[in-house]
Amino acid sequence: MAIGRYLAAAVIWWGVAAPGAAQQPPVQAKTGPDIVVQGLSDTPSAWRRAESAHVIVTSKGSEAELKRVTNTLERLYALMARLYHRTNAADDTVKLQVTLVDSADFFKAMKLPNLRSEEGPYATTFAGERYYDPREDGPVLAVARTDQVIKLSTALAEDRDLEDGSTSTNDEASGGTSMMGAMARAPIARRWEAVLYSAFAQHFLLTYVPAAYPRWYLDGVGALFSTLEVRRDGKVDYARDPLDYRQVFNAYGPLRVKPIITGEYLQGDTGKMRWTPYHAWLLTHFFLFSQLKAERSAQFQRYMAAIGQGVPMAEAAKVFGDLSRLQHDLDIYQERGTEYARADAVPPPGGDPSINVVPRSSAAVIEARLELGTRLAAAPADSGWVARLHDTVADLPYNPEALLTQAEVECRAGQNAACLESAERVLARTPDNIRALAWKGIALTHQALAGPTADRVAALKAARVPIVRALRIDNDTPLPLLAFFNSYAEAGEPVPDQAMLGLVKVTQEVPAAPGPRLLLAQELVRQGHADLARQVLIPVLYGGYDSPEKTRAQALLAASGAAQHAAR
């Protein structure tokens, strides 16, 4: 069968990549056209949107800042594509949607938990600066556009001051703290761009080299590229020492290898050390940039491969032998000083981005787009939030983006009649709008499944009409491909090969998203291909992040009897 050959080929693509090789000779990229700034006749908002080859960035910052940041993200993409041997690979993935919010208070106000990704767990002062959600229709990233204030006045730092004799007890009224000791513990800043570039590097790894990585490694790769610096001559420095990293170690403890590579730190056991991006930088820098001896390098590769196949971290760490010797090697490496890498000029692929002012009607749903992944994850959905969105959109002039956001919210909240109405409003003006056609088909599918059993077959057939129309217009967009597959799977009907192939395509367009992988695995198990289902689910089952889909994937494989489905 064609489906069998296609899935066999897909397994090669899904195969676990070796994540350790991150230093390769750079190649020259092509330059692109000058920036294009387009004005909008609609009432403007304070937001601007930049679109480039691989990202769409929305921000309230200046146009110059937006251009610079977007270009740097594209340079980072080009650099990592060189390092991970992807310069000649086709890129069919959905663009990353980046929203730069004004401050970390934005995340606190919206209470956006990272359901499918999580840094650290970091010490509190380093947390809460970003939100990343690898969604089924495209990944979403939000970063606070304010520098992090890193607290250095910790109990551990004060203890060290006392031990080192850096505090004075001459002035009892001062509590024994000298002016010099207080100054040494003044807060430092971590630039917000470092958080952005770190998150993008992690996104690149999960998207273009999909595999099961331990979380500390994802943190570390992000930290390595967070210090990216574009020089005036166009050359790019990366893997640089983070500023003030020794002060951070003084405040949060030196890097202890054992609790990290065994996974003990995920249960809160790091001894006197607290995990930070700076610790993640040093550990990953050691494994990737210290010119390890052949034996140690082979141990690291075996460790990563074992984790990629579901071996618990503590068991995988046994390949290093005596961990005290590994700690000794790392301590020596840190003492002698680390090196950084410099790549030849990396122009942004495709040239400078196009930049548009976002109209007020589109800007009104920016927050709602971010909140979608969280507000509707709970069952039942947040009905009050859905109602507030209705009120917001009702007060806006006609805007397809706002209406389609509303349609998505309504369909995902089970308000199928309202979803259908919102989609029809868009189709009345733009009959070929792919997202509107897909949401119309999804709403009709849900209505068919909730309707009389005697009418179901005919109703489902009618529901697929707008979905198929969307696919004939564009068969590369994830939403209608998912809608077509689900119109069979949710009805319990045999899924045709065409729908299966479409879902395989979705997993290649949004590789980091656990949802499409789970859907495909469920159908593969139903067809008797449990081992292939496990292969599809490896990044979900054994990757560094927990997710709602991970729990369901574990249950799926446990019920199917597939081997090695236990969680770490």
Side-chain angles (χ1 to χ4, degrees):
M1 292 176 63
I3 184 68
R5 291 194 299 272
Y6 196 100
L7 288 174
V11 167
I12 297 174
W13 186 88
W14 286 320
V16 177
Q23 305 161 60
Q24 303 298 330
V27 296
Q28 187 67 36
K30 296 180 179 180
T31 59
D34 292 335
I35 191 168
V36 177
V37 181
Q38 300 175 352
L40 296 175
S41 58
D42 295 346
T43 303
S45 72
W47 293 87
R48 291 182 175 88
R49 179 175 291 142
E51 181 166 3
S52 57
H54 302 94
V55 295
I56 298 173
V57 185
T58 307
S59 173
K60 286 185 179 179
S62 69
E63 183 180 304
E65 178 188 82
L66 181 57
K67 174 186 174 182
R68 174 180 59 80
V69 167
T70 304
N71 277 341
T72 304
L73 290 176
E74 288 292 351
R75 286 187 169 96
L76 179 51
Y77 168 89
L79 173 63
M80 295 189 73
R82 291 178 182 177
L83 301 178
Y84 287 92
H85 307 288
R86 288 204 43 94
T87 52
N88 296 321
D91 186 4
D92 297 324
T93 59
V94 177
K95 293 181 182 183
L96 173 66
Q97 297 265 359
V98 180
T99 304
L100 302 179
V101 302
D102 286 343
S103 73
D105 291 339
F106 179 90
F107 300 115
K108 296 175 184 177
M110 290 202 301
K111 299 180 180 179
L112 283 174
N114 284 281
L115 294 178
R116 298 176 180 86
S117 70
E118 182 183 356
E119 292 184 297
Y122 286 151
T124 303
T125 192
F126 297 92
E129 293 290 314
R130 65 144 232 202
Y131 168 79
Y132 178 66
D133 190 2
R135 298 176 182 176
E136 63 182 19
D137 58 347
V140 173
L141 170 65
V143 171
R145 199 169 51 85
T146 52
D147 294 346
Q148 279 184 309
V149 177
I150 306 303
K151 177 184 176 183
L152 296 180
S153 182
T154 64
L156 179 60
E158 292 174 1
D159 290 344
R160 286 176 177 275
D161 287 343
L162 291 171
E163 292 172 2
D164 295 340
S166 60
T167 57
S168 171
T169 58
N170 293 334
D171 184 0
E172 295 182 2
S174 69
T177 302
S178 69
M179 180 70 71
M180 184 174 295
M183 290 177 62
R185 294 193 300 275
I188 60 174
R190 184 182 183 222
R191 297 179 63 231
W192 66 265
E193 289 95 331
V195 180
L196 174 63
Y197 302 149
S198 173
F200 182 85
Q202 293 170 343
H203 162 76
F204 181 98
L205 205 61
L206 295 168
T207 300
Y208 298 104
V209 199
Y213 300 98
R215 191 184 300 176
W216 69 259
Y217 182 80
L218 291 169
D219 289 344
V221 168
L224 287 178
F225 291 100
S226 71
T227 59
L228 183 82
E229 181 178 337
V230 181
R231 297 165 56 87
R232 289 192 177 186
D233 60 4
K235 293 183 178 180
V236 177
D237 295 344
Y238 60 100
R240 300 179 65 94
D241 297 0
L243 291 175
D244 305 313
Y245 80 93
R246 293 186 185 277
Q247 292 187 55
V248 172
F249 287 174
N250 185 66
Y252 294 91
L255 175 59
R256 301 300 180 198
V257 170
K258 181 178 180 294
I260 304 305
I261 65 171
T262 61
E264 293 174 12
Y265 82 111
L266 294 172
Q267 283 74 50
D269 184 7
T270 54
K272 292 185 178 180
M273 181 198 77
R274 298 174 72 185
W275 185 242
T276 76
Y278 297 75
H279 293 80
W281 163 82
L282 178 59
L283 183 57
T284 310
H285 201 289
F286 169 73
F287 280 118
L288 298 186
F289 286 89
S290 68
Q291 298 180 348
L292 295 172
K293 294 180 180 179
E295 179 184 4
R296 187 69 81 196
S297 179
Q299 290 172 345
F300 175 64
Q301 295 297 333
R302 292 201 300 273
Y303 169 82
M304 296 293 285
I307 287 174
Q309 291 300 314
V311 176
M313 292 178 69
E315 184 68 23
K318 291 180 179 178
V319 302
F320 292 110
D322 185 354
L323 293 181
S324 65
R325 291 185 63 85
L326 180 62
Q327 181 73 55
H328 176 72
D329 292 348
L330 187 139
D331 290 342
I332 291 176
Y333 179 63
Q334 180 181 358
E335 285 301 318
R336 75 168 186 247
T338 59
E339 299 179 354
Y340 65 90
R342 175 170 294 164
D344 289 343
V346 184
D352 287 333
S354 62
I355 297 181
N356 297 297
V357 175
V358 178
R360 181 179 64 87
S361 51
S362 294
V365 296
I366 287 175
E367 292 186 13
R369 291 292 309 162
L370 286 175
E371 292 178 294
L372 264 170
T374 298
R375 296 288 189 179
L376 302 181
D382 186 341
S383 58
W385 178 75
V386 176
R388 289 192 296 274
L389 178 62
H390 282 156
D391 293 341
T392 297
V393 175
D395 291 337
L396 298 173
Y398 172 83
N399 181 282
E401 185 174 356
L403 281 170
L404 289 172
T405 298
Q406 178 172 278
E408 179 173 357
V409 168
E410 291 163 340
C411 265
R412 295 192 186 280
Q415 299 178 7
N416 298 309
C419 175
L420 183 59
E421 180 182 353
S422 297
E424 291 284 23
R425 286 184 61 190
V426 177
L427 292 172
R429 298 200 183 195
T430 51
D432 291 337
N433 187 292
I434 294 169
R435 287 174 59 197
L437 288 168
W439 286 120
K440 177 180 179 179
I442 292 169
L444 291 173
T445 297
H446 292 168
Q447 288 182 333
L449 296 176
T453 303
D455 300 335
R456 181 170 298 176
V457 172
L460 286 171
K461 184 177 180 180
R464 293 184 188 117
V465 171
I467 298 173
V468 171
R469 182 178 172 187
L471 291 172
R472 286 174 177 167
I473 297 170
D474 180 0
N475 66 352
D476 291 325
T477 301
L479 183 61
L481 291 169
L482 287 163
F484 188 59
F485 174 88
N486 285 327
S487 71
Y488 292 96
E490 292 178 4
E493 297 182 0
V495 178
D497 287 357
Q498 186 179 7
M500 284 288 285
L501 295 175
L503 188 56
V504 169
K505 182 184 290 188
V506 173
T507 66
Q508 296 173 343
E509 292 173 338
V510 285
R517 288 179 181 270
L518 179 60
L519 288 175
L520 184 57
Q522 289 171 332
E523 182 59 22
L524 288 170
V525 167
R526 191 192 68 80
Q527 295 182 12
H529 302 296
D531 289 341
L532 185 54
R534 177 184 169 273
Q535 185 77 5
V536 172
L537 287 171
I538 280 177
V540 181
L541 290 166
Y542 311 128
Y545 303 139
D546 291 332
S547 67
E549 292 82 4
K550 180 175 183 176
T551 302
R552 291 159 57 193
Q554 292 168 345
L556 173 70
L557 293 191
S560 71
Q564 301 183 37
H565 60 266
R568 284 185 288 116

